[in-house]
Each structure stands twice: as C-alpha cells, then as structure tokens.
Amino acid sequence: MKKALIMLLCLLAALCLAVPALGEGVSRTVSVSGSSNISLAADTATLRIGVSTVRDTVAEAQSENNEIMQRVIAAILGQNVAQEDVVTSDFSVYTERDYSDASAPVRYHVDNTLYVTVRALDTVGDVIDAATAAGANQMYGLTFSSSGETAAYEKALRRAYEDAAAKAALLAEAAGQTLGEVVSINASNSYGGDYGIANTYAMDARSAKTAIVSGDVTVSASVTVVFAIK
C-alpha cells in the first residue's frame, strides 16, 4: 500500500512538471486573408466563329462546310487578322435522326469552328460582319483580355499580401500581442474576370455594323497568410 502511494505521488509530480512544458510548446497564430483587384484596359478580343451544315450524306455536308469555311477564313484574314490568330478549335460530325419516324432519313451535321484572336479592338465588329457575310452561322464566346494580365496579377498578389499583413498587425495589436514571422501563405492561382464598359465601337444607330462594347479586365488575387503571435 505504501509503495503504491509513493508511485502515485511520483506520477502527480511528473504531471505537474509536464503541464507548464506543454503550455510553453503551444504555438499561437493568427490567420488572415487579403485581396486586391487591378483594372486594365482590354487590348485583345477572342471569339469563336463557326460554320454548321446539314445534308443527307456526310460527303455533301463536309464538302459544303469546307467551301463556306474557306470563304469565312479569307474574309477574316481580309480584316487584317494575322494567319496565326485564326486556328481551328473544334470539328465534329454527327447524325440527326427522327426517332418518332423510323422511315425518316438520317441527316448529317458537320460543324467547324475557328478560334479567332483580334488584336485591334476597333475591328471586332468588322471581323464578325465579314465572317457572317461569308457564310458563318455560329458566333459565340466573345471575350476581352489584356496583354498586361500577368504583370498585373503579380502586382495584385503583392498588394493582397500587404492587405493581409496589415490586418494581422491590427488584430495582434488589438489582442495585446506582437506579430511574429510568417508561418504559411496560400495564394489563389487564377486571375482575370469582370469586364467594365470602357470603350464602345460601331454604336452609331445609323450604322449597319455589329455593335461591340469592349471592357476593362479586372485582375484579382487573394491570399491567406498565417502569422505567429507572441
């Protein structure tokens, strides 16, 4: 009995010594998020222009599609679009069946789509009009971008970190603590987004041209930073 009591007292003493040590080893941190947005004037437009044909045979559909597409490409290049800025983005062949009528003939679709980059924004409407006049019957995916997006994103990342650091310093001060070193940083890995209305082309109501409104590109960055506090 006496031996068991002595062992119990030793265990209690060890625990008493261990508690302060455990307390000293607990790391204290503050986690904050920071963000930044930078607006750039768009200087490039991209769009998808396509030709879709439907005929009774694949050969007929493909032949007609190819003929029209050649005219469309020539029309686009005629608007001072560089050859390397006109590339095929999609080509597909599929059938059309009337399942309610077993005797109905099968029809064949051929779709050919171009990915076109226009570097002179004041000609976007002209490119669309020229392609349509040449026979293009699919037009979608018009987006604006800026050649300065990469540099802007790097700048936005720095500003996002500064935003996070300022918040962390304020929180540490409010808690009566001192901000320590950075423990970890997690940054978003994408950028680009909203478009404002910065420039307008071909908006004359008397003009038959396609009206195109270009936009500002908003580059966004966000980070989450964990700081030690002491």
Side-chain angles (χ1 to χ4, degrees):
M1 180 68 180
K2 184 176 181 181
K3 183 177 181 181
L5 181 60
I6 293 174
M7 290 180 64
L8 178 61
L9 291 174
C10 290
L11 178 59
L12 289 174
L15 288 174
C16 290
L17 293 174
V19 169
L22 289 172
E24 292 173 0
V26 174
S27 61
R28 296 184 300 170
T29 61
V30 58
S31 177
V32 290
S33 296
S35 60
S36 176
N37 298 313
I38 296 178
S39 294
L40 301 171
D43 57 21
T44 304
T46 56
L47 66 156
R48 298 178 69 188
I49 298 174
V51 174
S52 179
T53 53
V54 185
R55 288 293 178 265
D56 292 334
T57 68
V58 173
E60 289 175 333
Q62 188 167 342
S63 176
E64 181 181 13
N65 193 289
N66 182 64
E67 181 181 338
I68 298 173
M69 182 56 78
Q70 291 301 322
R71 295 201 302 266
V72 170
I73 292 174
I76 293 173
L77 296 178
Q79 297 300 317
N80 295 319
V81 176
Q83 179 75 57
E84 58 269 22
D85 287 333
V86 181
V87 298
T88 300
S89 66
D90 180 68
F91 183 87
S92 62
V93 179
Y94 57 97
T95 59
E96 176 186 276
R97 298 175 183 270
D98 184 356
Y99 291 98
S100 64
D101 183 0
S103 63
V106 176
R107 302 272 282 173
Y108 294 88
H109 287 252
V110 173
D111 289 347
N112 193 351
T113 307
L114 301 173
Y115 187 79
V116 181
T117 301
V118 182
R119 303 186 187 280
L121 292 187
D122 57 347
T123 68
V124 175
D126 294 331
V127 171
I128 293 175
D129 291 338
T132 302
N137 54 10
Q138 292 183 326
M139 199 86 55
Y140 51 93
L142 173 61
T143 59
F144 297 101
S145 60
S146 171
S147 56
E149 286 184 24
T150 299
Y153 179 61
E154 293 175 355
K155 185 176 182 180
L157 269 180
R158 293 180 182 275
R159 289 185 177 180
Y161 172 80
E162 292 170 357
D163 179 41
K167 291 176 181 177
L170 180 61
L171 289 172
E173 181 183 359
Q177 304 294 316
T178 302
L179 195 65
E181 62 184 16
V182 174
V183 175
S184 66
I185 303 177
N186 182 30
S188 62
N189 57 0
S190 62
Y191 58 89
D194 298 335
Y195 305 99
I197 302 176
N199 305 296
T200 304
Y201 301 106
M203 293 302 289
D204 187 345
R206 297 166 298 178
S207 174
K209 292 183 177 181
T210 297
I212 297 298
V213 180
S214 72
D216 289 345
V217 180
T218 300
V219 178
S220 301
S222 61
V223 298
T224 300
V225 188
V226 177
F227 290 90
I229 54 175
K230 52 188 177 180

